[in-house]
């Protein structure tokens, strides 16, 4: 619902407001202009056109409640900002906008520009105050001009079709105030009544000899505004509010409030909106709401004639007729006419406790200080003993309640604990039954209620007991009612009623007790069943399926078949929430119940489940991250994409039920996560970040009767964080595969290298050790054959020593603890130093300090060792040198090994390359080293190894 005000425009969903005005900090809800004078929904139903007093035109998106666009009207007739822009109307292509002074502008909806502007006075000679504009189904433009009448032009705004003068609408001069369209007629409210014009013929109904009966009812009344829905018109005016069924011409005067003072703001109503349930009135005092025009409740507090007659406290009620309700108050006796809402007070003041019908058309009221007062249906007091002398000895007793058997027997209960009076108005005798009357006696004189059932048995409802009295047999029976919860007799019984199969007791503090026909307790309805308050007083059987009970906090109805309980309070239309224990009576299909602030008339035909479904929509949605909050509002939202940085999602929804917005219940279910519906009275849900994926949220609303709304569904798509995306997971999977494959390849290469080393070692063993051992074998055989030749044994010794050295070299290469350059040079020294010393050669080793602990690979270690060993052997055997120098340095991370001697050298060009030099070159290549041998005759030899 949208309200146009002097401070902008407000959207109301039954519970909360969203305000749009010219100073709104949110640019999406900032309108052009402030004082909004007219609003019209766009024909598409998606937008609302909003016109402010000084030419600000705004187009508002109804789904998102945001300003779609804003325009300043550019009229050229009178470029004066003091013009009062007052009204607008539209068709599919343009808006017609008018000012109070009669300046008209045509605004093109597609281009967003003012196409033309002119003065009604200058162009059509129609001066006066322009009140409103209407575009009919023939695209003709109607201008309502106070003081003149109605001007009608064609759609081009250039041709005057006709003028309907004011005199044809009403003989008395008037101002136009509002209009509504129904059944191809324009209904016009004015300050002197109602006018009706046929759209097709542009004639008043009087001119067409049609005169609805309600027109005369509206004559000479100051009417302000009109609303028509489904053939029912609601018209508001100065101190008048009418509901008219146009087809039947039935007129109903709607009572605005039970309090005369509450009517005062209706004198200046500006707008009215009515639907099937309620009426909304806008005035300079604010927004007034008549809760339910079909409500079963009408409250009465003070007289509507302005006499200031008030019913502050209704103690008991007697429904004398449908136009006369007698009310006992704590300050007097009152008579209410519910048809006119007029209240009159009895001339004798007293605290009246009860009132009941006596014989001969008289009524008796029982007062605290002045006893029984007799009066007729004209409220004229009469001395009681002059009509009923038999009441002389009890006339000063205080009567709590009464019941009548036919036209002659009246039962009366004494508030002063004098028992039960049985008055025969024919024999003029009074019988008394109390705790002191012998055989036919009560067990308790504290009587709360008297009730005659369908068998003419009188139920005497006492404080802690209930007695059944049969007048025909003058016998009395006491019911042994035991509370099943406390195992004690039922206490503080207040009232009783009857349905076809059961009796029902209102028991204060216990609940509503269901009795079978043989007086057995079948069930007790309590707060667990939905009764809001157990301070129960009066109870009525509306039908065989429905009960109504009053309490000190509202009313409760019980559906006997379903067990469904509905509670009603002051906001539902009751005079207040506080009723009195004896204050209730029924006549035909109407119940009157009272207490604080008057009485309430209850139309029992309207006490039923509310069939109106709550209209559920999603309202605001907040997406919250560490850095920001994103709010979105789209009442037709279907899907919501939630970015990966959002940590919390708040989803609000509104169930539009203006009658009982606080009594709505909600249920929701996230289909992917919830098996059952979650029930709540909150209109919002909070989600903290869910796992990435698509979810479907379903929400439903229920009114107090459990009537559900349609299910609304919202698709939530939680986007994954970067490390949860498919491409990242794919990348990780590929990386794992690549790493695994790399580790696999590394392992394979390692195994290949180890296999290569094993093969090389096997080859070395086969080539070197095998040949050496084979030589030992040969020399051993020769030594056995030539025992006298000692050289054979010497050869065997040398071969054995070479084999042992080879095995030691092999073991050293395989030792993982000896892989540093220092270990390599130490091993070379163990081999070379003794040989050099034996041959009088100086052996020199030199290592850079930074390379002592530099580790070598297995293959690298083996081949360098074999190269260095081969080089030293060659220098000792062939160079005839004095010095052998072994040195290692580094250039960056690349190692440099050099073996030099100062021997005789050789000429590389003339000397054929032997196996030794080839082995050095091959071994260096295997470990990615570059070998370089330099030598010349007389200059020694140098072998250089450089890591490539």
């Amino acid at each position: 619902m949208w309200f146009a005000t002097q401070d902008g425009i407000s959207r109301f969903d039954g519970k909360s407001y969203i305000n749009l005005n010219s100073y709104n900090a949110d640019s999406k809800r900032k309108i052009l202009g402030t004082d909004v004078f007219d609003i019209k929904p766009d024909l598409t139903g998606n937008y609302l056109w909003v016109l402010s007093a000084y030419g600000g035109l705004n187009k508002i998106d109804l789904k998102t409640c945001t300003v779609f666009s804003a325009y300043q009207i550019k009229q050229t007739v009178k470029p004066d900002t003091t013009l009062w822009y007052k009204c607008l109307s539209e068709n599919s292509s343009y808006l017609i906008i008018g000012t109070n002074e009669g300046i008209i502008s045509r605004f093109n909806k597609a281009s967003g520009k003012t196409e033309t502007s002119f003065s009604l006075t200058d162009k059509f000679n129609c001066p006066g105050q322009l009140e409103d504009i209407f575009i009919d189904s023939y695209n003709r433009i109607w201008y309502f001009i106070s003081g003149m009448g109605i001007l009608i032009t064609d759609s081009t705004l250039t041709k005057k079709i006709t003028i309907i003068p004011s005199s044809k609408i009403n003989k008395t001069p008037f101002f136009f105030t509002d209009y509504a369209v129904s059944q191809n007629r324009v209904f016009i409210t004015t300050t002197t009544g109602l006018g009706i014009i046929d759209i097709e013929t542009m004639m008043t109904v009087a001119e067409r000899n049609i005169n609805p009966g309600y027109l005369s009812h509206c004559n000479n009344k100051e009417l302000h505004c009109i609303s028509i829905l489904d053939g029912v018109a609601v018209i508001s005016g100065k101190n008048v509010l009418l509901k008219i069924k146009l087809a039947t011409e039935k007129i109903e005067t709607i009572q605005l409030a039970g309090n005369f003072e509450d009517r005062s703001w209706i004198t200046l109503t500006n707008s009215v909106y009515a639907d099937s349930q309620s009426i909304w009135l806008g005035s300079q005092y604010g927004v007034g709401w008549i809760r339910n025009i079909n409500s079963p409740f009408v409250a009465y507090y003070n007289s509507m004639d302005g006499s200031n007659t008030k019913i502050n406290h209704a103690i008991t009620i007697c429904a004398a007729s449908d136009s006369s309700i007698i009310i006992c108050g704590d300050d007097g006796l009152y008579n209410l006419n519910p048809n006119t809402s007029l209240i009159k007070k009895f001339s004798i003041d007293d605290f009246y406790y009860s009132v009941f019908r006596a014989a001969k058309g008289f009524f008796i009221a029982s007062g605290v200080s002045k006893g029984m007062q007799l009066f007729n249906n004209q409220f004229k007091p009469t001395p009681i003993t002059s009509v009923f002398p038999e009441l002389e000895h009890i006339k000063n007793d205080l009567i709590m309640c009464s019941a009548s058997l036919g036209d002659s027997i009246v039962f009366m209960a004494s508030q002063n604990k004098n028992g039960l009076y049985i008055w025969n108005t024919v024999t003029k005798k009074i019988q008394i039954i109390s705790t002191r009357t012998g055989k036919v006696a009560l067990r308790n004189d504290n009587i709360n209620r008297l009730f005659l059932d369908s068998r003419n048995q009188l139920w005497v409802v006492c404080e802690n007991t209930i007695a059944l009295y049969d007048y025909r047999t003058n016998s009395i029976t006491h019911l042994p009612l035991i509370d099943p919860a406390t195992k004690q007799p039922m206490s503080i019984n207040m009232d009783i009623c009857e349905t076809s199969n059961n009796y029902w007791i209102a028991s204060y503090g216990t609940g509503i007790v269901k009795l079978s026909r043989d007086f057995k307790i079948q069930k007790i309805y309590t707060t667990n069943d939905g009764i809001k308050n157990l301070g129960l007083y009066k109870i009525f059987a509306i039908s065989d399926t429905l009960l109504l009970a009053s309490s000190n906090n509202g009313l409760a109805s019980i559906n006997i078949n379903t067990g469904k309980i509905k509670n009603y309070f002051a906001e539902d239309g009751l005079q207040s929430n506080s009723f009195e224990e004896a204050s209730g009576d029924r006549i035909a299909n109407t119940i009157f119940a009272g207490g604080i602030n008057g009485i309430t008339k209850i139309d029992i035909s309207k006490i039923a489940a509310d069939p109106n479904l709550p209209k559920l929509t999603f309202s605001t949605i907040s997406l919250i991250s560490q850095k920001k909050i994103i709010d979105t509002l789209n009442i037709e939202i279907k899907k919501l994409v939630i970015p990966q940085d959002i940590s919390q999602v708040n989803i609000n929804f509104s169930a539009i039920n203006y009658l009982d917005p606080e009594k709505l219940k909600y249920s929701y279910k996230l289909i992917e996560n919830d098996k059952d519906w979650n029930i709540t009275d909150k209109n919002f849900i909070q989600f903290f970040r869910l796992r990435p994926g698509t979810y479907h949220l379903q929400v439903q609303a229920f009114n107090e009767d459990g009537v559900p709304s349609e299910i609304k569904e919202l698709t939530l798509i939680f986007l994954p964080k970067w490390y949860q995306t498919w491409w990242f997971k794919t990348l990780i999977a590929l990386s794992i595969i690549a790493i695994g494959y790399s580790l696999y390849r590394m392992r394979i290469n390692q195994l290949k290298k180890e296999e290569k080393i094993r093969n090389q070692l096997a080859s070395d063993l086969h080539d070197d050790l095998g040949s050496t051992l084979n030589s030992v074998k040969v020399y051993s055989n020769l030594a056995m054959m030539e025992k006298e030749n000692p050289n054979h044994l010497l050869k065997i010794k040398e071969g054995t020593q070479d084999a042992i050295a080879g095995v030691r070299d092999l073991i050293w290469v395989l030792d993982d603890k000896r892989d540093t350059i220092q270990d390599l040079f130490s091993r070379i020294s163990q081999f070379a130093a003794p040989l050099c010393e034996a041959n009088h050669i100086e052996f020199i080793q030199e290592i850079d300090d930074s390379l002592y602990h530099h580790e070598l690979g297995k293959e690298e270690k083996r081949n360098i060792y074999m190269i260095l060993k081969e080089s030293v052997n060659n220098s000792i055997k062939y160079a005839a040198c004095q010095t052998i120098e072994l040195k290692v340095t580094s250039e960056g991370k690349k190692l440099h090994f050099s073996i030099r001697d100062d021997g005789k050298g050789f000429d590389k060009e003339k000397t054929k390359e032997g196996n030794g030099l080839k082995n050095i070159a091959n071994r260096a290549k295997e470990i990615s080293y570059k070998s370089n041998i330099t030598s010349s005759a007389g200059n020694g030899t140098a072998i250089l190894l450089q890591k490539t």
Side-chain angles (χ1 to χ4, degrees):
M1 185 174 290
W2 293 81
F3 297 104
T5 76
Q6 290 180 319
D7 192 34
I9 187 164
S10 299
R11 196 202 75 165
F12 180 57
D13 64 8
K15 194 168 185 178
S16 60
Y17 289 90
I18 295 177
N19 300 310
L20 295 83
N21 45 48
S22 60
Y23 51 85
N24 200 310
D26 186 352
S27 60
K28 295 183 297 183
R29 300 201 172 108
K30 187 173 185 177
I31 66 173
L32 190 62
T34 298
D35 193 355
V36 177
F37 250 84
D38 204 358
I39 56 176
K40 290 288 190 303
D42 190 84
L43 293 178
T44 65
N46 297 323
Y47 302 98
L48 183 72
W49 293 100
V50 176
L51 179 67
S52 66
Y54 295 105
L57 181 65
N58 305 272
K59 187 178 181 182
I60 296 175
D61 189 323
L62 290 172
K63 297 178 184 177
T64 63
C65 193
T66 58
V67 178
F68 184 80
S69 52
Y71 315 91
Q72 187 70 48
I73 305 303
K74 302 293 185 181
Q75 60 85 22
T76 57
V77 178
K78 187 180 179 182
D80 186 348
T81 57
T82 60
L83 288 176
W84 176 6
Y85 285 85
K86 197 172 185 179
C87 51
L88 65 86
S89 188
E90 71 152 343
N91 66 10
S92 59
S93 302
Y94 53 81
L95 302 176
I96 302 297
I97 301 169
T99 73
N100 182 71
E101 299 80 6
I103 306 300
I104 304 300
S105 300
R106 184 169 66 188
F107 178 84
N108 188 304
K109 289 165 44 173
S111 66
K113 295 180 180 180
T114 305
E115 291 183 336
T116 184
S117 56
F118 61 89
S119 166
L120 290 176
T121 301
D122 296 341
K123 192 166 187 175
F124 297 109
N125 192 26
C126 292
Q129 184 172 300
L130 179 66
E131 306 291 355
D132 219 329
I133 300 173
F134 164 55
I135 302 178
D136 66 21
S137 54
Y138 303 98
N139 267 340
R140 299 175 302 201
I141 320 298
W142 298 46
Y143 305 91
F144 300 94
I145 306 170
S146 289
M148 189 212 76
I150 301 174
L151 166 68
I152 304 177
T153 71
D154 67 349
S155 60
T156 66
L157 309 181
T158 60
K159 181 181 178 182
K160 177 171 68 176
I161 296 176
T162 189
I163 293 178
I164 304 173
S166 298
S167 59
K168 286 189 177 183
I169 300 170
N170 200 312
K171 300 298 182 183
T172 307
F174 61 83
F175 285 88
F176 290 103
T177 55
D178 198 9
Y179 77 91
V181 178
S182 177
Q183 301 170 347
N184 208 35
R185 293 178 177 180
V186 182
F187 293 77
I188 305 162
T189 56
T190 74
T191 53
T192 60
L194 180 68
I196 306 175
I197 300 175
D198 184 88
I199 292 177
E200 183 178 1
T201 64
M202 296 173 288
M203 298 172 62
T204 66
V205 293
E207 290 178 287
R208 298 189 65 198
N209 295 319
I210 301 172
N211 190 19
Y214 51 80
L215 270 185
S216 58
H217 186 83
C218 296
N219 282 344
N220 301 317
K221 288 185 173 65
E222 184 178 328
L223 306 180
H224 298 158
C225 40
I226 183 171
S227 173
I228 301 178
L229 178 68
D230 297 332
V232 177
V234 176
I235 301 173
S236 174
K238 186 175 182 180
N239 294 325
V240 63
L241 187 60
L242 302 175
K243 176 183 175 185
I244 304 172
K245 291 186 177 180
L246 300 178
T248 63
E249 300 185 9
K250 180 181 178 181
I251 304 172
E252 179 183 345
T253 299
I254 298 173
Q255 182 173 310
L256 187 66
N259 190 343
F260 182 81
E261 286 81 0
D262 291 342
R263 298 169 57 99
S264 59
W265 59 272
I266 200 176
T267 58
L268 287 173
T269 51
N270 297 319
S271 58
V272 62
Y273 170 76
D275 57 24
S276 61
Q277 292 184 314
S278 53
I279 297 174
W280 298 74
L281 292 165
S283 80
Q284 294 188 11
Y285 296 98
V287 176
W289 176 36
I290 297 177
R291 180 175 182 78
N292 191 339
I293 56 179
N294 293 314
S295 171
F297 308 115
V298 178
Y300 302 90
Y301 174 48
N302 66 359
S303 183
M304 290 301 164
D305 58 4
S307 63
N308 202 33
T309 303
K310 298 179 180 179
I311 305 170
N312 292 313
H313 197 177
I315 305 300
T316 55
I317 296 172
C318 175
S321 69
D322 58 1
S323 61
S324 178
I325 310 300
I326 305 170
I327 302 143
C328 293
D330 57 7
D331 61 346
L333 194 66
Y334 298 87
N335 182 272
L336 164 70
N337 185 334
N339 299 323
T340 62
S341 302
L342 298 180
I343 301 172
K344 295 181 180 180
K345 187 177 180 182
F346 192 50
S347 58
I348 301 174
D349 290 341
D350 198 354
F351 188 123
Y352 287 95
Y353 219 84
S354 68
V355 62
F356 55 93
R357 188 186 301 272
K360 303 176 183 180
F362 286 96
F363 293 88
I364 294 175
S366 180
V368 172
S369 61
K370 298 181 180 180
M372 294 184 184
Q373 299 293 322
L374 185 68
F375 56 92
N376 60 18
N377 55 8
Q378 301 299 317
F379 236 47
K380 183 178 179 180
T382 303
I384 193 167
T385 54
S386 66
V387 181
F388 303 112
E390 64 271 24
L391 298 178
E392 173 66 33
H393 68 287
I394 66 169
K395 69 178 183 179
N396 292 321
D397 200 350
L398 185 61
I399 302 303
M400 170 67 183
C401 55
S402 66
S404 296
L405 178 60
D407 295 328
S408 58
I409 306 300
V410 179
F411 301 98
M412 299 174 287
S414 169
Q415 174 68 13
N416 296 328
K417 299 184 180 180
N418 291 319
L420 174 68
Y421 299 122
I422 305 173
W423 175 26
N424 189 319
T425 61
V426 176
T427 64
K428 299 183 182 299
K429 291 182 179 181
I430 296 177
Q431 177 186 355
I432 300 176
I433 299 176
S434 70
T435 56
R436 303 174 296 279
T437 55
K439 186 176 180 180
V440 181
L442 298 174
R443 292 180 180 175
N444 192 314
D445 288 329
N446 194 354
I447 302 172
N448 289 329
R449 199 75 63 245
L450 298 176
F451 170 71
L452 273 168
D453 66 16
S454 58
R455 302 173 185 175
N456 284 331
Q457 296 179 107
L458 180 68
W459 292 64
V460 185
V461 182
C462 302
E463 193 72 21
N464 294 308
T465 184
I466 295 178
L468 289 179
Y469 174 71
D470 191 326
Y471 177 76
R472 294 164 299 182
T473 61
N474 193 33
S475 60
I476 195 165
T477 304
H478 291 86
L479 301 182
L481 300 179
I482 303 299
D483 188 332
T486 63
K487 309 302 180 183
Q488 299 296 318
M490 297 284 295
S491 62
I492 320 182
N493 303 305
M494 301 302 295
D495 196 14
I496 188 169
C497 69
E498 179 184 13
T499 57
S500 59
N501 297 316
N502 298 95
Y503 298 104
W504 303 84
I505 299 171
S507 182
Y508 192 97
T510 299
I512 295 176
V513 183
K514 179 181 180 182
L515 294 182
S516 64
R517 280 293 178 177
D518 56 355
F519 314 120
K520 303 295 184 184
I521 295 177
Q522 294 182 320
K523 179 176 175 57
I524 299 179
Y525 290 89
T526 68
T527 53
N528 293 333
D529 299 291
I531 298 176
K532 291 297 183 182
N533 189 279
L534 295 182
L536 298 166
Y537 294 140
K538 295 289 292 179
I539 186 168
F540 299 91
I542 293 177
S543 64
D544 272 345
T545 60
L546 202 62
L547 304 175
L548 186 69
S550 67
S551 73
N552 58 19
N553 188 23
L555 298 176
S557 68
I558 302 176
N559 187 308
I560 298 171
N561 293 336
T562 65
K564 180 67 179 178
I565 293 176
K566 185 173 182 178
N567 298 279
Y568 302 96
F569 302 97
E571 60 265 26
D572 295 293
L574 307 183
Q575 93 287 345
S576 73
N577 290 335
S578 298
F579 289 88
E580 269 298 332
E581 59 185 77
S583 188
D585 198 11
R586 176 174 178 173
I587 181 170
N589 288 323
T590 305
I591 293 173
F592 293 90
I596 301 298
N597 294 340
I599 72 170
T600 299
K601 181 177 77 171
I602 305 166
D603 185 343
I604 63 177
S605 65
K606 296 179 180 178
I607 298 287
D610 184 1
N612 296 287
L613 305 181
K615 298 176 182 178
L616 182 67
T617 61
F618 290 103
S619 51
T620 57
I621 299 176
S622 298
L623 307 179
I624 303 173
S625 67
Q626 292 182 344
K627 297 181 179 179
K628 60 185 177 181
I629 298 178
I630 303 172
D631 285 326
T632 181
L633 173 62
N634 185 346
I635 61 175
E636 295 186 6
I637 190 170
K638 302 293 184 184
K639 182 172 69 173
L640 180 66
V641 178
I642 302 164
Q644 54 87 19
D645 62 333
I646 298 299
S647 59
Q648 181 178 332
V649 180
N650 298 334
I651 300 176
N652 292 65
F653 34 83
S654 298
I656 301 177
N657 180 353
Y658 298 115
L659 299 183
D660 293 300
E662 301 300 327
K663 297 178 183 177
L664 291 169
K665 297 291 183 182
Y666 301 92
S667 63
Y668 67 91
K669 178 169 64 173
L670 204 60
I671 293 178
E672 287 72 14
N673 286 12
D674 300 326
K675 292 183 179 179
D676 301 316
W677 289 87
N678 301 286
I679 309 298
T680 179
D681 57 357
K682 308 295 184 184
N683 68 325
F684 63 87
I685 308 170
Q686 289 183 329
F687 290 112
F688 294 96
R689 182 157 191 90
L690 301 177
R691 289 180 290 103
T694 300
Y695 299 85
H696 297 86
L697 173 65
Q698 292 185 337
V699 181
Q700 195 170 26
F702 297 84
N703 66 13
E704 189 187 28
D705 293 319
V707 179
S709 70
E710 63 174 337
I711 295 175
K712 286 287 185 179
E713 183 170 292
L714 176 62
T715 301
L716 302 174
I717 302 175
F718 282 84
L719 297 180
K721 293 183 180 294
W722 60 270
Y723 53 81
Q724 296 174 315
T725 55
W726 67 268
W727 57 265
F728 180 78
K729 291 179 180 179
T730 302
L731 181 62
I732 291 297
L734 292 175
S735 298
I736 292 173
I737 293 172
I739 292 171
Y741 182 73
S742 298
L743 292 174
Y744 168 76
R745 294 303 306 169
M746 288 174 62
R747 179 60 177 162
I748 293 299
N749 291 336
Q750 181 67 24
L751 291 174
K752 286 183 177 180
K753 288 180 180 180
E754 292 177 359
E755 180 66 21
K756 183 178 179 181
I757 292 173
R758 283 194 294 269
N759 292 336
Q760 289 174 340
L761 291 175
S763 177
D764 290 344
L765 286 172
H766 179 270
D767 295 342
D768 297 337
L769 189 58
S771 59
T772 301
L773 292 176
N774 189 53
S775 299
V776 170
K777 176 182 177 182
V778 171
Y779 286 119
S780 296
N781 290 329
L782 292 173
M784 292 175 64
M785 295 172 59
E786 300 176 3
K787 298 180 180 179
E788 68 282 358
N789 188 351
N791 289 329
H792 297 320
L793 294 176
L794 183 61
K795 294 293 185 181
I796 292 172
K797 177 182 177 182
E798 290 176 354
T800 303
Q801 288 177 340
D802 289 341
I804 293 171
V807 171
R808 286 177 177 173
D809 288 343
L810 178 63
I811 294 171
W812 178 80
V813 168
L814 295 176
D815 189 353
D816 290 334
K817 297 179 181 179
R818 300 179 180 275
D819 289 342
T820 64
I821 289 178
Q822 183 180 6
D823 294 327
L824 173 66
F825 273 46
S826 175
R827 183 65 183 173
I828 292 294
S829 179
Q830 291 176 12
F831 153 75
L835 291 176
C836 289
E837 183 179 356
N839 291 281
H840 306 289
I841 299 172
E842 182 181 7
F843 180 67
I844 301 171
Q845 286 182 329
E846 185 177 341
I847 306 174
D848 278 0
D849 292 341
S850 61
L851 298 178
Y852 271 95
H853 302 290
H854 183 88
E855 292 188 356
L856 302 170
K858 282 283 187 290
E859 191 174 359
E860 184 181 21
K861 168 184 170 182
R862 168 182 169 275
N863 283 293
I864 289 176
Y865 174 70
M866 299 303 290
I867 291 172
L868 297 180
K869 184 176 179 181
E870 180 77 21
S871 300
V872 170
N873 270 330
N874 288 339
S875 295
I876 292 174
K877 289 181 180 180
Y878 308 115
C881 60
Q882 301 295 317
T883 303
I884 297 175
E885 181 184 39
L886 175 60
K887 185 177 182 180
V888 60
T889 59
S890 66
E891 184 178 317
K893 294 184 179 181
K894 296 181 179 180
L895 296 176
H896 292 254
F897 290 90
S898 64
I899 307 101
R900 299 177 183 275
D901 64 49
D902 56 357
K904 60 184 180 180
F906 62 91
D907 188 346
K908 291 180 64 178
E909 298 296 330
K910 296 180 180 182
T911 303
K912 185 178 180 180
E913 185 175 352
N915 288 333
L917 296 179
K918 289 182 180 180
N919 286 339
I920 289 173
N922 290 336
R923 289 184 182 276
K925 187 176 182 181
E926 285 181 8
I927 57 175
S928 300
Y929 274 76
K930 180 181 178 182
S931 63
N932 185 27
I933 302 174
T934 58
S935 182
S936 59
N939 293 318
T941 302
I943 299 174
L944 300 176
L945 299 175
Q946 182 178 355
K947 184 75 172 179
T948 59

